[in-house]
Amino acid sequence: NSTLKVRKGERVTIAANGRANGCKNKNDAAYGWAGPEGWGFFWDKKRGRPMPFSPFMALGVKIGEGGEWLEVGKGITFLAPQDGNILFTVNDEIYDETGRFRLDWRRDNEGSFITNIKIG
């Protein structure tokens, strides 16, 4: 949660840089450093990601609790679809192949993305 609030219809421009890794274990298939555009790590489609058609570990944004995640990558400009805070995520797996929620798969991430946000 960026704690920045926007109103429906406001223009939001985000530029991002930095790098993140989906797993600290070098022997895990999810291990690999990537910029905010993520990397092409795709596997079993049964596993849930916030942005299912975007690259693994890509930076995502949405406004408020409802609505769809948008892929930020290195940068994006969009109109806020509703009032709310600007929220960020990485496109990491959140469910295993049996459908079980796996918060631990988020806890083993490392690195960071830095965002520059312009509203209006």
Side-chain angles (χ1 to χ4, degrees):
N1 186 336
S2 72
T3 71
L4 295 173
K5 296 181 188 285
V6 295
R7 308 284 276 162
K8 180 178 180 177
E10 283 187 302
R11 179 183 294 280
V12 179
T13 300
I14 301 169
N17 61 48
R19 59 190 207 123
N21 188 344
C23 183
K24 294 177 185 174
N25 179 352
K26 291 182 180 182
N27 296 316
D28 192 296
Y31 182 87
W33 288 96
E37 68 280 7
W39 60 288
F41 175 58
F42 292 96
W43 57 13
D44 188 341
K45 300 291 184 199
K46 294 178 186 174
R47 297 182 180 192
R49 290 183 180 162
M51 300 176 294
F53 300 106
S54 295
F56 181 66
M57 295 303 289
L59 180 62
V61 65
K62 74 176 180 175
I63 306 301
E65 293 300 324
E68 299 290 321
W69 288 103
L70 302 173
E71 184 180 331
V72 173
K74 292 181 180 180
I76 186 174
T77 297
F78 63 97
L79 298 179
Q82 63 191 23
D83 294 354
N85 285 6
I86 299 174
L87 306 174
F88 290 100
T89 192
V90 291
N91 200 30
D92 194 358
E93 310 291 343
I94 52 178
Y95 297 96
D96 67 16
E97 58 276 357
T98 66
R100 186 178 60 167
F101 181 72
R102 297 293 305 263
L103 183 58
D104 58 315
W105 286 356
R106 289 283 180 123
R107 290 185 178 138
D108 69 346
N109 295 348
E110 57 185 342
S112 62
F113 295 126
I114 298 168
T115 59
N116 182 325
I117 304 166
K118 179 181 177 184
I119 302 169

